Amino acid sequence: MMAAATSELQEIRRRAAESFETRGYPTKRDEEWKYTSVSAIAKAQFPAEAPSLTGNSLRTALEQHPGLIEEHLGRYASSEENAFVALNTAHFEDGAFLHVPRNTVVEEPVWIDYTAVPDRTTHPRNLIVVGANSQVRIVERYRGSGRYFTNAVTEIVAGENSVVEHVKLEEESAQSFHVATIQVHQARNSNFKSHNISFGGLLVRNDVNAVLSTGCEGTLNGLYLATGKQHIDNHTALDHAAPHAASHELYKGILDGISTGVFNGKIYVRKDAQKTDAKQTNKNLVLSPGATINTKPELQILADDVRCTHGATVGQLDEEALFYLRARGIGEIEARDVLIYAFARDVIERIGIPEIREYLEKALFERLVFSRQSSGGAL
Amino acid sequence: MASQLSSIETLANQEYKWGFITDIEADTVPAGLNEDIIRLISARKNEPEFMLEWRLKAYRHWLTMEEPTWANIHYPPINYQEIIYYSAPKTNKDRPKSLDEVDPELLQTYEKLGIPLHEREALAGVAVDAVFDSVSVATTFKGKLSELGIIFCSFSEAVRDHPQLVKKYLGSVVPPSDNFFAALNAAVFTDGSFCYIPKGVRCPMELSTYFRINAKDTGQFERTLIVAEDGAHVSYLEGCTAPVRDENQLHAAVVELVALNNATIKYSTVQNWYPGDKEGKGGIYNFVTKRGKCLGANSKISWTQVETGSAITWKYPSCLLMGDNSVGEFYSVALTNNYQQADTGTKMIHMGRNTRSTIVSKGISAGRGQNTYRGAVKILKGAEGARNYSQCDSMLLGDKCGAHTFPYLEVKNTSSSVEHEASTSKIGEDQIFYCRQRGISTEDAVGMIVNGFCKEVFRELPMEFAVEAQKLLGVSLEGSVG
Amino acid sequence: MNKTSMSKTAILEIKDLHATAGGKEILRGINLTVYPGEVHAIMGPNGSGKSTLAQVIAGRDLYGVTSGEVLYEGDDLLTLAPEERAQRGIFLAFQYPVEIPGVSNLYFLKAALNAIRKRKGEPEVDAMDFLSLVRRKMALMEMEESLLNRAVNAGFSGGEKKRNEIFQMAVLEPRLAVLDETDSGLDIDALKIVSNGVNTLRGPDRAIVVVTHYQRLLNHIVPDYVHVLAQGRIVKSGGKSLALELEESGYAGIEELAEAVR
């Protein structure tokens, strides 16, 4: 427990603990967890430990700016709706804290780096508060070795007219469990972009939720690569709570081996949210007959003057394109890599941090090579 | 485009201009439906025995069927005993041998509809079969087409002159037992067009049938059959209009297309049956079964429809993609204004390997119009590598109309790829205001927005008809944007 | 009112303007005079009537003018249809630019330009001249040419839409430009491009009215005058320093001021 926790925060944490105790881990009967079983996490019972991170510590910040943290921490991510959020809220010991004052442009990207150790559970808790008219780019990265469980929650408040870009790089070890919620609250006219990249982990579940106010623009992009027995589940929710907001969503998945991918994208358009413009796309590339993808868009539209489009595809590598490349002298393996890379590039290119783009290009090719060596698959 | 916009402007204030009645003496059978009426129709047309048997079998099956109720349309029950099932211009009893023998009154009617039947005046590059109530009254350019071995004639002539072809293909795509209206059509159909494109022939002109309902209390039941042999290509277009009448009239047609190896059939419809008046009185009930069979490898069937008329539209032009690498396409603009109701869409059944289908549906609802897209994509087990792309967009003008989308998806082969996009939007005040703020008038703005919305479908239509279709939308939207 | 502008005719003259929307009075007596060559900024809290004022100038019929007068180049503006106002040189950069699927940017802009030229008695623009004009202005706004063939604002990001508005303005060269919250949601680079586009259009014969909630934009488009709108009235006017004052103190004090002048 954090030493300096104020009474109100303590109350939030107490309720979260209570909520988890009554409900426990979700099961596949729970609609939100229909395709993802977390019984392995429940069974593992790794002892909890404070996370090891580089970045501004939330624990330290709580001593320095208790008011600011009190105002936001635990106010957005819902313990009632998500058992893992409840677990995190009840048990977190530290995480990253970032506050960008109003009218400030932060030129360099801010890094938050977590490294997990074997046989432990950590509950990283991050709070990012961006003031009005400010601009910032954040990279949140998760890595580790051995078997362990990371259960992260990130709350982001994008102030009025702010521009916030957030990249989450999940590069956990091949045996790890990783569950994370990113909860975003967007104030009027703000512009928020999320890039949710999942490469590692045996069992991965991401929930990325954003609530949009009047005149906001919200972008949720994602890329997931799964091979072997990996299971990667992405749930997103865009809540158009006010008029004149636009949201764009592009999630792409590449599945090989006997891996499983899940995509569930919710778009709520509330009654008053006229002139909403929401577009959701989920595309999947299935490289082996043993891989599975479950994709499900969920649109709930209560306003009548809106534009909502959604599209989902599941496909294989284009044999004709593959043949074409080979006919030009490119080896089969290389040709496949090129096509897989081309598929993923769409997401990577949208990231506004050049060094991350370069890093991901390299990481993607490394993954392709790794996958071929470890499982004999193309990924 | 500027000239097209101004024509929308001019036309926007017009009534249904195809609503006149031709005063012509008709040979009509009594109202009602029974085996005797069917025998009478068959006798009037001097049909061979096999046709009569086929009709009677369909009729007996029809008696066991129930009218479908699953569509999102509402209308008072149809009394099938009140309908006249055969009406033909009297002078046409013995079909004229040449165009010169066609009743001048009829020629004038078609002239008025913008379809001159004299070949020297006819639209260059379009051969027309004109169907008036229950019979075909004239077919142009027959001679020129027959030099290439192309058969383009009325269905009655085909039954008489090419019975083997008719026997082989009739009902092979839409069997009489297929559905209630298809069975009714099989029992009483009176005429329609027949096209046969022989092996390797690319039809040099558009083939077109113009359907006209004229007589009162009469139903029109036509049947069209198009067969494209190996490597053949044909583009076919149908148009339809009817007079303004207070009573509803029934139109229940069947269209069958067969494409063999490497053959391509492009079938375009501009449907402009009388839609009823502003209060929803009168109008055609349009219950149509259209289906194409891509029987051969690499064959392609493409449906394009612009549906602006009829009080009720119930039609789902479909493709059975049997041949490997065969392609099915459906491009549709359906507009409902005032009290019109449309329940339309398509079925793409993927059976062969690497079959591909594309669906682009644009629904426009205005007034109290109700517009439903109903589409099914089925990928059967053997359809390795099948691909489908569907896009359904709805546009609402005003707040008393409705748009509904029912996509059905059934995928039994995991190597396939299916993509679906859907959108609903309102042509708002704000779009029009935005255009006006840039100096563009309201009329130009509406034309621009609606044509922009339908662009992907219009570009599939043959050139002349695309222009016609744009004008038609302008007329049909009359009074819906203020 | 400054002396140099006294001799010229005002481009825009608003006298005691009252306007309602949905039965509610939004503008409650606006007075504002804009002379050629001037840039005016109108600031104020959300709901103060800024956007309503912009829309009334452009002729949006959602708002009913109940009393007062608006003169444009000395003529009554309120009797003119929106397209007539546009054809006479009024341009509104929309707060929420509207999407028109299926209609290409190029076609749309050409139709707009020709409508304006027609009113001036000029012939339709030559296709080649138009293309080179458009390319020049696109370069100014650092926009990709591929946007020309895309549908108007369809699938554009928020930033692209705002940039597209200023691009249209650069092509249509209006006499009076009203920018309605053109800066909201823009990142700093886009803000600079948009401001640069607006600044290139500043000239002795043209006037610009900048409606904004945030002072930030006014660092880049430096106004001659700043007006503060609250509860449907201009409660304070001043030079560019007024914007900075507001940034410091926030709008809270302004609301009190508005209450006081009621």
Side-chain angles (χ1 to χ4, degrees):
Chain A
M1 272 286 173
M2 292 166 78
T6 59
S7 62
E8 212 170 322
L9 182 57
Q10 270 166 351
E11 176 58 21
I12 289 174
R13 301 185 67 163
R14 195 190 57 73
R15 281 206 307 269
E18 212 176 81
S19 161
F20 185 79
E21 233 143 79
T22 23
R23 297 187 317 159
Y25 288 99
T27 69
K28 289 180 107 171
R29 280 192 300 276
D30 191 335
E31 188 61 31
E32 289 295 291
W33 296 84
K34 196 172 171 182
Y35 298 108
T36 299
S37 164
V38 297
S39 58
I41 296 176
K43 237 183 270 162
Q45 294 285 350
F46 300 124
E49 189 173 278
S52 137
L53 86 149
T54 56
N56 287 334
S57 155
L58 179 67
R59 191 204 293 253
T60 321
L62 193 52
E63 285 158 18
Q64 291 160 353
H65 324 274
L68 187 61
I69 291 175
E70 172 92 0
E71 191 186 335
H72 298 291
L73 191 64
R75 308 282 173 163
Y76 307 103
S78 165
S79 293
E80 302 304 313
E81 283 167 26
N82 186 327
F84 286 94
V85 171
L87 200 58
N88 176 292
T89 305
H91 300 294
F92 72 83
E93 291 190 60
D94 203 356
F97 173 68
L98 173 66
H99 175 231
V100 182
R102 54 189 286 129
N103 296 326
T104 311
V105 174
V106 181
E107 296 285 349
E108 289 303 313
V110 178
W111 279 78
I112 303 168
D113 240 309
Y114 287 98
T115 312
V117 293
D119 305 315
R120 288 290 181 274
T121 292
T122 53
H123 301 285
R125 182 74 178 213
N126 307 307
L127 176 64
I128 296 161
V129 180
V130 182
N133 307 314
S134 291
Q135 192 173 326
V136 66
R137 296 170 296 170
I138 304 136
V139 183
E140 201 176 303
R141 176 157 66 171
Y142 294 88
R143 295 191 285 192
S145 56
R147 289 181 78 223
Y148 56 88
F149 172 38
T150 303
N151 177 35
V153 172
T154 303
E155 290 175 294
I156 301 174
V157 184
E160 205 175 301
N161 208 34
S162 64
V163 178
V164 181
E165 185 165 2
H166 181 268
V167 182
K168 177 174 178 264
L169 297 179
E170 182 273 298
E171 300 176 290
E172 303 275 31
S173 79
Q175 302 85 41
S176 65
F177 307 127
H178 177 96
V179 176
T181 293
I182 298 172
Q183 182 72 41
V184 187
H185 176 81
Q186 286 192 250
R188 202 182 171 96
N189 293 334
S190 62
N191 183 335
F192 172 79
K193 277 197 186 101
S194 153
H195 309 277
N196 177 18
I197 315 292
S198 303
F199 281 178
L202 181 62
L203 171 57
V204 176
R205 162 70 176 243
N206 286 302
D207 281 88
V208 185
N209 309 321
V211 181
L212 284 71
S213 315
T214 305
C216 284
E217 189 169 1
T219 305
L220 303 186
N221 293 337
L223 175 66
Y224 44 101
L225 276 81
T227 181
K229 290 192 215 167
Q230 272 184 286
H231 178 101
I232 301 182
D233 177 346
N234 282 302
H235 269 59
T236 65
L238 277 156
D239 184 351
H240 283 263
H244 286 292
S247 66
H248 323 276
E249 183 168 14
L250 173 65
Y251 264 74
K252 285 193 152 188
I254 303 169
L255 302 152
D256 200 1
I258 49 166
S259 67
T260 316
V262 179
F263 175 79
N264 181 298
K266 291 191 187 65
I267 296 176
Y268 300 109
V269 181
R270 310 233 166 197
K271 199 154 184 279
D272 299 329
Q274 301 293 6
K275 308 286 175 197
T276 287
D277 184 355
K279 184 171 170 118
Q280 180 192 82
T281 310
N282 174 231
K283 294 190 172 188
N284 297 283
L285 186 57
V286 179
L287 297 175
S288 86
T292 316
I293 172 75
N294 291 301
T295 171
K296 185 177 167 210
E298 266 184 65
L299 275 62
Q300 286 188 39
I301 303 169
L302 301 176
D304 61 353
D305 186 9
V306 301
R307 244 172 80 84
C308 291
T309 63
H310 64 88
T313 63
V314 178
Q316 287 73 43
L317 274 185
D318 187 340
E319 290 297 328
E320 278 168 49
L322 195 62
F323 178 74
Y324 186 77
L325 288 173
R326 294 176 70 189
R328 291 290 172 271
I330 300 165
E332 186 181 357
I333 290 172
E334 205 186 338
R336 285 176 78 88
D337 285 0
V338 165
L339 291 178
I340 294 166
Y341 176 70
F343 177 82
R345 204 171 115 174
D346 209 6
V347 176
I348 295 174
E349 269 183 348
R350 289 165 203 243
I351 299 173
I353 308 172
E355 53 267 42
I356 295 287
R357 286 200 301 267
E358 279 161 36
Y359 171 77
L360 282 176
E361 282 174 23
K362 239 177 73 201
L364 183 62
F365 274 110
E366 275 166 19
R367 284 291 296 172
L368 296 176
V369 174
F370 163 78
S371 172
R372 253 196 315 277
Q373 287 163 351
S374 62
S375 65
L379 179 72
Chain B
M1 183 136 173
S3 63
Q4 286 154 27
L5 287 178
S6 60
S7 23
I8 285 176
E9 200 178 325
T10 339
L11 284 163
N13 298 315
Q14 289 186 15
E15 294 286 328
Y16 185 77
K17 67 168 185 177
W18 306 268
F20 63 88
I21 297 168
T22 306
D23 189 12
I24 196 159
E25 211 183 329
D27 168 24
T28 304
V29 302
L33 183 55
N34 51 51
E35 293 203 3
D36 290 342
I37 288 286
I38 292 170
R39 283 177 214 281
L40 192 62
I41 291 171
S42 192
R44 280 282 204 287
K45 305 182 74 67
N46 296 319
E47 281 180 353
E49 189 57 25
F50 83 89
M51 278 306 303
L52 177 62
E53 282 313 310
W54 196 78
R55 287 172 180 280
L56 289 173
K57 205 176 146 201
Y59 173 68
R60 288 165 197 152
H61 190 80
W62 178 74
L63 287 175
T64 69
M65 298 173 95
E66 300 247 358
E67 201 172 320
T69 53
W70 44 261
N72 191 18
I73 48 179
H74 305 278
Y75 54 95
I78 299 169
N79 186 341
Y80 292 92
Q81 296 307 333
E82 277 177 2
I83 295 170
I84 296 168
Y85 288 86
Y86 183 86
S87 175
K90 216 161 206 169
T91 47
N92 197 49
K93 203 167 171 185
D94 302 307
R95 199 182 145 79
K97 297 287 172 296
S98 81
L99 286 166
D100 301 330
E101 293 173 31
V102 176
D103 188 329
E105 188 75 28
L106 280 173
L107 290 179
Q108 254 179 38
T109 300
Y110 280 88
E111 202 94 15
K112 234 165 137 179
L113 294 168
I115 321 283
L117 295 177
H118 283 300
E119 285 181 12
R120 58 177 186 278
E121 294 161 9
L123 280 170
V126 184
V128 180
D129 182 26
V131 176
F132 192 84
D133 288 331
S134 302
V135 293
S136 165
V137 291
T139 310
T140 61
F141 294 111
K142 269 169 86 172
K144 198 172 166 198
L145 291 168
S146 69
E147 284 168 22
L148 294 164
I150 296 172
I151 304 169
F152 179 46
C153 63
S154 73
F155 212 101
S156 314
E157 269 178 278
V159 169
R160 200 178 61 216
D161 301 341
H162 310 283
Q164 290 317 308
L165 281 175
V166 171
K167 239 180 174 164
K168 186 170 174 188
Y169 291 109
L170 177 69
S172 71
V173 186
V174 180
S177 58
D178 189 78
N179 68 68
F180 183 82
F181 294 105
L184 177 64
N185 174 285
V188 302
F189 83 92
T190 46
D191 217 334
S193 301
F194 177 80
C195 317
Y196 176 82
I197 320 295
K199 209 165 173 172
V201 173
R202 189 176 272 272
C203 185
M205 53 176 73
E206 299 279 340
L207 302 186
S208 162
T209 304
Y210 196 92
F211 294 101
R212 174 78 180 166
I213 295 178
N214 186 62
K216 199 166 178 280
D217 300 329
T218 304
Q220 192 176 57
F221 305 92
E222 87 274 1
R223 201 158 178 115
T224 299
L225 175 58
I226 300 175
V227 178
E229 288 277 9
D230 287 0
H233 283 245
V234 62
S235 170
Y236 176 92
L237 185 123
E238 62 171 2
C240 5
T241 57
V244 171
R245 292 190 192 282
D246 285 348
E247 303 79 25
N248 298 109
Q249 281 176 285
L250 180 64
H251 172 254
V254 169
V255 175
E256 297 180 281
L257 312 182
V258 180
L260 298 170
N261 289 332
N262 303 307
T264 298
I265 301 175
K266 187 173 168 59
Y267 193 106
S268 313
T269 304
V270 175
Q271 187 264 104
N272 186 27
W273 295 119
Y274 177 54
D277 69 7
K278 284 193 173 58
E279 274 70 52
K281 202 166 178 195
I284 301 291
Y285 288 170
N286 190 33
F287 293 90
V288 175
T289 305
K290 291 183 169 176
R291 196 174 301 152
K293 214 182 219 179
C294 284
L295 204 54
N298 309 313
S299 57
K300 177 177 171 182
I301 289 179
S302 176
W303 299 100
T304 306
Q305 61 174 22
V306 176
E307 304 278 320
T308 59
S310 298
I312 288 176
T313 299
W314 179 100
K315 68 181 273 204
Y316 315 91
S318 304
C319 296
L320 303 173
L321 302 170
M322 300 164 82
D324 289 350
N325 310 313
S326 60
V327 176
E329 293 175 340
F330 174 74
Y331 297 94
S332 168
V333 167
L335 180 145
T336 52
N337 195 1
N338 299 320
Y339 283 84
Q340 282 178 276
Q341 306 173 61
D343 192 308
T344 182
T346 183
K347 271 190 273 185
M348 293 290 173
I349 317 289
H350 292 255
M351 302 172 182
R353 294 166 63 92
N354 298 317
T355 45
R356 276 171 293 152
S357 64
T358 304
I359 299 172
V360 177
S361 160
K362 305 279 180 176
I364 304 171
S365 319
R368 291 171 186 275
Q370 294 295 326
N371 210 322
T372 301
Y373 167 80
R374 189 182 302 278
V377 176
K378 282 190 190 175
I379 314 268
L380 302 190
K381 233 185 168 88
E384 205 67 30
R387 281 186 228 172
N388 160 265
Y389 171 76
S390 308
Q391 184 194 338
C392 316
D393 298 318
S394 309
M395 184 184 261
L396 301 169
L397 291 91
D399 50 12
K400 294 193 177 63
C401 51
H404 317 272
T405 305
F406 298 109
Y408 300 86
L409 197 63
E410 204 178 294
V411 181
K412 295 212 170 108
N413 186 307
T414 51
S415 70
S416 59
S417 141
V418 173
E419 194 169 351
H420 180 253
E421 283 190 35
S423 79
T424 300
S425 58
K426 238 182 189 175
I427 172 171
E429 275 301 299
D430 56 341
Q431 278 179 326
I432 293 169
F433 180 68
Y434 189 72
C435 293
R436 293 179 75 189
Q437 211 303 306
R438 297 294 181 261
I440 299 161
S441 71
T442 305
E443 288 78 5
D444 286 357
V446 172
M448 210 182 217
I449 294 164
V450 171
N451 285 329
F453 181 72
C454 301
K455 201 160 74 179
E456 289 145 292
V457 175
F458 285 165
R459 70 167 168 237
E460 296 297 322
L461 285 173
M463 190 51 192
E464 311 82 331
F465 300 106
V467 175
E468 197 60 33
Q470 291 195 357
K471 285 184 191 167
L472 226 127
L473 278 193
V475 181
S476 306
L477 283 173
E478 175 214 338
S480 53
V481 180
Chain C
M1 206 162 288
N2 75 32
K3 280 179 187 160
T4 53
S5 50
M6 283 297 280
S7 53
K8 301 187 217 166
T9 313
I11 289 188
L12 182 71
E13 218 176 336
I14 302 176
K15 297 176 189 165
D16 194 30
L17 180 69
H18 290 251
T20 57
K24 205 177 139 212
E25 187 164 47
I26 311 264
L27 300 183
R28 307 171 179 185
I30 301 273
N31 289 291
L32 179 69
T33 306
V34 179
Y35 287 95
E38 294 178 351
V39 173
H40 289 244
I42 297 179
M43 300 186 69
N46 292 324
S48 58
K50 300 188 303 284
S51 284
T52 303
L53 177 61
Q55 300 247 341
V56 167
I57 293 171
R60 187 82 201 242
D61 57 9
L62 288 176
Y63 305 97
V65 173
T66 45
S67 67
E69 218 183 349
V70 180
L71 301 179
Y72 175 70
E73 296 175 334
D75 299 333
D76 180 11
L77 183 68
L78 296 175
T79 54
L80 298 181
E83 58 268 37
E84 290 173 308
R85 300 181 197 203
Q87 288 161 10
R88 290 188 54 165
I90 295 181
F91 180 93
L92 173 67
F94 283 59
Q95 182 183 7
Y96 303 114
V98 181
E99 296 192 9
I100 309 178
V103 177
S104 82
N105 251 324
L106 195 67
Y107 176 79
F108 177 75
L109 204 50
K110 202 171 165 191
L113 185 63
N114 280 332
I116 292 165
R117 289 175 68 104
K118 194 174 166 192
R119 142 96 199 167
K120 287 193 207 155
E122 292 170 9
E124 290 207 348
V125 63
D126 171 79
M128 290 315 285
D129 291 350
F130 180 65
L131 215 56
S132 79
L133 168 76
V134 157
R135 289 211 171 113
R136 240 180 11 250
K137 304 293 185 182
M138 285 204 108
L140 171 72
M141 296 309 295
E142 299 184 29
M143 285 165 75
E144 279 180 39
E145 270 189 39
S146 62
L147 286 181
L148 280 179
N149 295 315
R150 280 174 47 191
V152 179
N153 293 323
F156 285 31
S157 71
E160 282 172 333
K161 283 183 187 170
K162 298 288 171 98
R163 240 189 264 189
N164 195 31
E165 291 292 286
I166 304 305
F167 159 65
Q168 289 180 15
M169 174 173 111
V171 171
L172 299 177
E173 298 189 323
R175 183 131 200 265
L176 172 66
V178 181
L179 314 185
D180 189 3
E181 302 217 15
T182 299
D183 55 324
S184 62
L186 291 185
D187 66 26
I188 194 76
D189 297 330
L191 184 72
K192 283 178 184 161
I193 292 166
V194 161
S195 306
N196 180 39
V198 174
N199 286 332
T200 14
L201 277 171
R202 287 179 85 149
D205 198 39
R206 188 172 285 142
I208 300 172
V209 176
V210 181
V211 173
T212 181
H213 183 70
Y214 312 107
Q215 177 272 337
R216 192 180 66 149
L217 175 70
L218 307 181
N219 292 334
H220 302 279
I221 304 173
V222 180
D224 301 304
Y225 302 95
V226 174
H227 310 278
V228 183
L229 199 62
Q231 299 185 10
R233 285 190 198 90
I234 290 177
V235 293
K236 208 171 178 185
S237 296
K240 63 185 176 202
S241 60
L242 178 56
L244 289 168
E245 276 171 44
L246 277 177
E247 178 63 26
E248 286 299 308
S249 57
Y251 287 116
I254 292 303
E255 293 285 358
E256 281 165 34
L257 193 60
E259 288 296 333
V261 296
R262 273 182 86 127

